[in-house]
Amino acid sequence: MKLIAASTLAIGLLAVPAMAADIAPAPTYSWDGVYVGVVGGYTWNNFNLSNIKFQDLSGEAFIPGRDLGVTSWSTSMDGGSLGGTLGWNYQTGAFVLGLEGDISYDWANGDNSKYKDTADFTSEADMTWFGTARVRAGYAVDRALIYATGGLAYGDVEGKIHDVYSTATITTNDSNGMWGWTIGGGLEYAITDNFTIKGEYLYYDLGQTDFSVSEGAPGWNKINANVDVNGSIVRAGLNYRF
């Protein structure tokens, strides 16, 4: 009887580790490390011109809104974007801190027209590329990460002018790199141990720059304006985590 009891106890003790392994929770997902990815979305931008001044061919002083009767107007730029991402995360408990940079080719475009007598004056704006360098701070629930983000935004913006006269149509342009700030948030989810998907919203303000174009006869000698650009982007991404 004692032998049977001892055997039963031994078998029970041997079974305890196996049962514990079966009921123990699986390790949580780790967000630590470096990752690369692709990102794409859609942007809505405001291209705002102010303090517009014209100088005629005689080279006289710049005159605000000369002939056109306007000194400011706005143009909306909308379009898709596609690019790449590089980032790094550090996780402590459920909190995740990281750095992320991205750059995208942008198809945002818009135009606006002003009319004065027989002259047709059209402004057109394009954003050719856009990028950010940001800090991310988030809270992880296993494979899901919700985060806030903010930092530097930069982009290249081109302004074009199409000026129609009775004898000629003149098209001229100026392009500037612009720098500003961005803030937003998103949700990322690990679909495998290495691949994650995300959705993200960013608001950005690229600050203000000066645009200057020259037309030549029969147009204006120079047209100067202050330009500021701000907008929003909604995008999705696929990342590979090393």
Side-chain angles (χ1 to χ4, degrees):
M1 180 65 69
K2 291 181 179 180
L3 179 60
I4 294 174
S7 299
T8 302
L9 178 60
I11 293 172
L13 291 174
L14 290 172
V16 168
M19 294 174 62
D22 289 339
I23 64 175
T28 58
Y29 182 79
S30 174
W31 290 89
D32 281 327
V34 176
Y35 58 91
V36 296
V38 293
V39 63
Y42 199 85
T43 63
W44 296 264
N45 305 277
N46 297 309
F47 181 89
N48 306 306
L49 296 93
S50 61
N51 196 28
I52 303 172
K53 296 180 179 181
F54 300 82
Q55 183 188 59
D56 65 22
L57 295 177
S58 68
E60 67 182 55
F62 286 99
I63 300 176
R66 178 161 181 171
D67 281 5
L68 294 177
V70 293
T71 58
S72 65
W73 68 80
S74 297
T75 298
S76 297
M77 297 186 296
D78 303 336
S81 68
L82 181 66
T85 301
L86 174 64
W88 169 82
N89 286 330
Y90 171 75
Q91 184 171 1
T92 174
F95 295 97
V96 179
L97 299 176
L99 301 174
E100 184 173 281
D102 60 81
I103 188 167
S104 299
Y105 184 83
D106 207 294
W107 288 273
N109 174 268
D111 59 64
N112 195 0
S113 299
K114 295 292 177 181
Y115 298 92
K116 179 68 173 179
D117 297 328
T118 59
D120 183 347
F121 187 87
T122 304
S123 70
E124 183 180 352
D126 298 280
M127 181 179 289
T128 54
W129 57 266
F130 173 79
T132 69
R134 295 171 285 110
V135 175
R136 298 202 313 172
Y139 186 84
V141 181
D142 194 13
R143 291 179 173 268
L145 173 67
I146 184 170
Y147 62 89
T149 184
L152 177 71
Y154 49 93
D156 185 78
V157 178
E158 181 181 30
K160 299 179 182 178
I161 290 176
H162 309 286
D163 214 346
V164 180
Y165 297 88
S166 60
T167 58
T169 299
I170 300 173
T171 298
T172 185
N173 67 288
D174 190 16
S175 179
N176 282 334
M178 301 182 67
W179 300 81
W181 56 271
T182 182
I183 190 169
L187 175 65
E188 190 168 359
Y189 186 80
I191 54 177
T192 71
D193 288 343
N194 297 104
F195 285 98
T196 68
I197 55 175
K198 72 174 183 180
E200 184 175 72
Y201 167 81
L202 296 175
Y203 174 83
Y204 51 88
D205 189 324
L206 297 181
Q208 188 177 85
T209 188
D210 295 326
F211 274 56
S212 180
V213 298
S214 299
E215 291 188 340
W220 302 100
N221 184 43
K222 287 185 179 179
I223 304 174
N224 287 356
N226 301 128
V227 174
D228 64 87
V229 176
N230 57 69
S232 298
I233 183 169
V234 175
R235 57 189 182 180
L238 174 67
N239 293 333
Y240 179 83
R241 194 172 306 279
F242 295 97

